Amino acid sequence: MARTGFAALVLLTSFLSVVAGQRLRPLPAAGLPGDLFGLGIASRLHTDLNSTARASTDFGQMVKAAPEAVFHPRTPADIAALIRFSASSPAPFPVAPRGQGHSWRGQSLAPGGVVVDMRSLGRGHRARINVSAAGAEPYVDAGGEQLWNDVLRATLKHGLAPRVWTDYLRLTVGGTLSNAGIGGQAFRHGPQIANVDELDVVTGTGEMVTCSRDMNSDLFLAALGGLGQFGVITRARIRLEPAPKRVHWVRLAYSDVAMFTKDQEFLISDQARQVGFNYVEGQVQLNRSFVEGPKSTPFFSTSDLNRLSRLASRAQSAAIYYIEGAMYYNEDTTASVDQKMEALLDQLSFEPGFVFTKDVTYVQFLDRVREEEKVLRSAGVWEVPHPWLNLFIPRSRILDFDTGVFKGLLRDANPAGIILMYPMNKDRWDNRMTAMTPTDDEEVFYAVSLLWSALSVDDVEQLEKANESVLDLCAQTGIECKQYLPHHTSQDGWQRYFGAKWGKVAELKAQYDPQAILSPGQKIFPSRAEAADIATV
C-alpha cells in the first residue's frame, strides 16, 4: 500500500474506538511483517505519521531516518516480545531504544523498523527508581528510561546521590550508560559505567538477562559503553555516596595553555585529589567570541567578559582557557571549605585576579546546564543541528592538538557553541568494557568536545568541514585520538576505532544480536540482508 494512502487510514485509528470492549489495533505498516500486528503488544505500536516523524531524527539533527512504527512498552517484557519477534522473523526489522533522543548521529533511530519509546516504561504507577540506603554500600535501581535529574531527586530524599554526573541531567540512565557517561567527577570515580554494579538487559534475541561483573559478565561489560549494540538496558544498579548540600564553584582563567594543562593535571593527581576539587573540567574560549559572541552568560557577567577580552588582547593569546572546579560542602563545614579553597588556589598558576566564584546548592550546580538551555531555547538556538565532535586525546599530544586546532585551524573562527577540554585518569576506567580510550601507554588523557550549534544550512556544512579538518590533522600528525559519542562512515572506520577489541566486539555482537537488528543507525554492523548483499558483490 502506498505510504500516502495508508497515512489517512492510520490517522483514523489514532482515535479511541471500542469494538466488543477492545481498542482497535493499528493497521500494519509497510515494511513490517503483518503478523506483528496480531501480537498482544500490537496496541502499543503507533504507526501514524506524527509519531514516526518525531522519531525520525535526534538531538544532533545531522541524520534523518524514518521508522515504520514507534513502540510504547509498558514493561521490559514488552520490549523482549518485540525484539524476539523481529529476531525470529524471516525478515528481521531494526529496533532502536530511544530515551530523550539525545544522540547526535542516529544511535536512537531505526530506519524502516521500530523505535522503542523508552520513556513509556516510566509512566503510570510503576516505581522504576528504588533506593537502597541501608548498609555500607548504598545503591539505586533505576529504570533505563529514567532521567538522571529524577534519579537525583529520589536519592536526595535519603541524603545520597550517584557519584558521577554528565553535564546535562535531562538524559536517560540507559542512554548515557550505553556511551560511558563522562563529567567533571570522572577523574575521581571513573565514568558512569564504572559505577554500575548490575544491569537488566534485553538482548538482540529477546532474552531478558540480569548481569554483573560476576554474573553474565560478558554481556555486562559489553552493554556498558556498547552503543546499544548488544541489548537494551532496562535497569541499572548505580552506586551512591553521601550527598553534599552546597558547592563552592570557581572558574580560573589562563592565557598560557601549558600552565592550564599543568594545573589541570595537578588537580586530578593523587596529591591533590584528597584535599582538592570534587569536580574538574575546563573550557576554551576563542578570541573572536569575546567580540562577536554573547555579552554575558549564566556564569560570566558583561564586566567579567570585558575583563577577559582585555586579558586575551594583552596576552596576544589565540584563546582564553578556564579551569572549572567545584568543592562540595555542608553548612557546618563552610569555614573549612573556604580554607581548603584558599590553600588549593595558592598552588595554581592562573592569571592573577582572574578568579570567578559562585556559591550554589548541590542541585543548582549539577543542573547548571538547564539555565543555559533556557537561554538558548528563548533565543531559538537549542533545537538546531549539532555537528559535534568529541575526542579523547593522549596527554602527551594535548599541546600539539592545541597548537594545530585552537591556534591553527580555529584561530579566526567563532562558531556558536562551547569547547570543553579537561583531563581524566585512565586507571578509573575498566578496559574490559566496550567504551574506548586512547593509547594504553599513558595514564592521563583529555576530553576535548567541540559542541557546535549550526544556526544556518551554511553553518552545518562549514562546521562539518571544520570537524573533518580536525580529524585529518590528528591523522596527519599522528595524534592517536578516539572519538567519544563516535561516528564513522564505514565498517573499516569502526574496526580502526575498536582496534584490538574489534574481534571481541564482533564475537559478542554475533552472540547477543546475531541478526544485527539493534541500534542500526550508527552502521557499525550490517543487517543480515545488507551482509548478504555485500557477500554477493
Side-chain angles (χ1 to χ4, degrees):
M1 182 182 294
R3 180 84 177 180
T4 53
F6 161 71
L9 293 175
V10 168
L11 290 175
L12 294 176
T13 68
S14 65
F15 294 95
L16 292 175
S17 301
V18 178
V19 176
Q22 293 186 352
R23 184 191 297 267
L24 287 174
R25 298 186 187 280
L27 292 176
L32 294 178
D35 290 351
L36 174 62
F37 295 85
L39 298 181
I41 60 172
S43 63
R44 295 187 279 286
L45 283 163
H46 291 198
T47 56
D48 61 281
L49 293 180
N50 285 336
S51 294
T52 57
R54 285 195 297 270
S56 295
T57 190
D58 54 16
F59 178 74
Q61 296 189 31
M62 300 301 296
V63 294
K64 294 186 183 298
E68 291 291 338
V70 178
F71 183 52
H72 296 266
R74 294 176 183 169
T75 67
D78 289 346
I79 300 174
L82 174 73
I83 293 176
R84 194 160 50 244
F85 179 89
S86 176
S88 61
S89 171
F93 51 84
V95 176
R98 181 188 181 98
Q100 292 293 82
H102 215 267
S103 60
W104 70 282
R105 283 286 187 177
Q107 182 175 326
S108 61
L109 306 186
V114 178
V115 167
V116 179
D117 180 1
M118 295 295 290
R119 298 305 310 281
S120 297
L121 291 174
R123 296 179 185 133
H125 65 277
R126 296 171 299 281
R128 296 280 295 165
I129 303 177
N130 297 292
V131 180
S132 177
E137 298 180 348
Y139 62 84
V140 59
D141 282 323
E145 79 288 346
Q146 294 296 316
L147 298 183
W148 282 100
N149 65 305
D150 291 330
V151 174
L152 176 62
R153 273 199 296 269
T155 58
L156 284 178
K157 293 176 182 177
H158 302 268
L160 299 166
R163 304 194 296 181
V164 182
W165 299 93
T166 56
D167 292 332
Y168 184 57
L169 299 190
R170 282 156 179 81
L171 306 175
T172 60
V173 168
T176 66
L177 295 183
S178 71
N179 285 283
I182 62 172
Q185 303 87 0
F187 78 95
R188 285 180 175 270
H189 304 297
Q192 288 181 324
I193 56 175
N195 294 272
V196 175
D197 289 328
E198 190 174 279
L199 295 174
D200 284 344
V201 176
V202 179
T203 71
T205 61
E207 184 180 4
M208 299 171 67
V209 181
T210 297
C211 52
S212 67
R213 287 173 178 81
D214 301 318
M215 175 175 56
N216 300 310
S217 60
D218 267 4
L219 179 59
F220 179 78
L221 296 170
L224 291 170
L227 305 174
Q229 293 302 303
F230 310 100
V232 179
I233 296 172
T234 59
R235 178 187 64 91
R237 178 165 292 178
I238 302 156
R239 297 174 206 159
L240 303 176
E241 66 178 3
K245 300 289 187 182
R246 299 197 64 82
V247 174
H248 201 37
W249 178 15
V250 301
R251 287 185 183 175
L252 314 171
Y254 293 75
S255 60
D256 184 332
V257 67
M259 300 307 298
F260 167 70
T261 55
K262 178 175 177 288
D263 281 357
Q264 279 192 316
E265 291 167 20
F266 165 72
L267 289 169
I268 71 164
S269 68
D270 289 336
Q271 180 183 355
R273 196 157 49 227
Q274 299 306 314
V275 295
F277 289 135
N278 299 94
Y279 161 103
V280 174
E281 285 196 13
Q283 293 189 24
V284 181
Q285 185 167 1
L286 301 174
N287 266 358
R288 276 186 61 187
S289 68
F290 288 114
V291 177
E292 301 174 7
K295 301 309 176 187
S296 66
T297 71
F299 191 95
F300 289 126
S301 68
T302 300
S303 61
D304 291 338
L305 289 176
N306 287 338
R307 288 185 61 218
L308 290 163
S309 178
R310 290 193 293 272
L311 171 64
S313 177
R314 185 172 67 250
Q316 296 185 334
S317 174
I320 293 297
Y321 307 84
Y322 309 110
I323 287 179
E324 185 167 41
M327 275 188 186
Y328 301 163
Y329 73 100
N330 296 312
E331 286 84 350
D332 59 350
T333 59
T334 301
S336 62
V337 79
D338 288 342
Q339 294 171 359
K340 282 175 58 179
M341 179 67 75
E342 184 177 348
L344 184 62
L345 296 186
D346 282 344
Q347 300 180 68
L348 304 179
S349 301
F350 53 89
E351 293 286 344
F354 283 85
V355 179
F356 305 88
T357 65
K358 281 192 173 185
D359 198 87
V360 296
T361 68
Y362 181 58
V363 173
Q364 285 174 327
F365 174 71
L366 292 181
D367 208 19
R368 62 199 178 278
V369 176
R370 180 65 167 176
E371 294 306 309
E372 297 182 16
E373 177 189 352
K374 291 176 181 177
V375 172
L376 294 173
R377 281 190 183 278
S378 67
V381 293
W382 179 261
E383 294 181 352
V384 297
H386 296 94
W388 288 2
L389 179 63
N390 297 272
L391 300 174
F392 288 160
I393 307 293
R395 171 191 184 181
S396 63
R397 302 303 304 275
I398 192 62
L399 295 184
D400 295 332
F401 183 91
D402 174 82
T403 298
V405 176
F406 303 133
K407 294 182 174 65
L409 295 174
L410 301 180
R411 182 180 181 90
D412 297 318
N414 181 33
I418 64 171
I419 302 170
L420 302 181
M421 177 172 163
Y422 60 94
M424 287 180 278
N425 293 305
K426 183 175 289 190
D427 65 1
R428 299 298 188 270
W429 292 63
D430 188 336
N431 191 49
R432 297 173 300 169
M433 293 179 179
T434 315
M436 298 299 299
T437 57
T439 172
D440 293 333
D441 298 335
E442 300 183 26
E443 285 305 312
V444 171
F445 64 92
Y446 278 76
V448 179
S449 298
L450 309 179
L451 305 181
W452 309 135
S453 296
L455 306 184
S456 70
V457 174
D458 288 343
D459 280 353
V460 173
E461 183 177 355
Q462 291 172 7
L463 291 170
E464 284 281 79
K465 287 181 178 178
N467 289 343
E468 287 299 321
S469 295
V470 171
L471 292 172
D472 288 345
L473 182 143
C474 289
Q476 292 164 9
T477 59
I479 298 176
E480 296 182 7
C481 63
K482 290 291 182 186
Q483 289 190 39
Y484 178 65
L485 309 178
H487 165 64
H488 297 279
T489 57
S490 67
Q491 195 172 63
D492 285 346
W494 284 109
Q495 289 184 24
R496 289 192 298 272
Y497 168 77
F498 284 111
K501 287 186 182 180
W502 174 254
K504 182 65 173 178
V505 167
E507 176 186 325
L508 291 167
K509 182 70 171 179
Q511 178 179 355
Y512 292 111
D513 183 20
Q515 304 292 349
I517 64 175
L518 294 178
S519 299
Q522 297 174 103
K523 306 186 188 313
I524 301 175
F525 293 95
S527 68
R528 189 175 70 174
E530 291 170 334
D533 289 342
I534 293 170
T536 60
V537 173

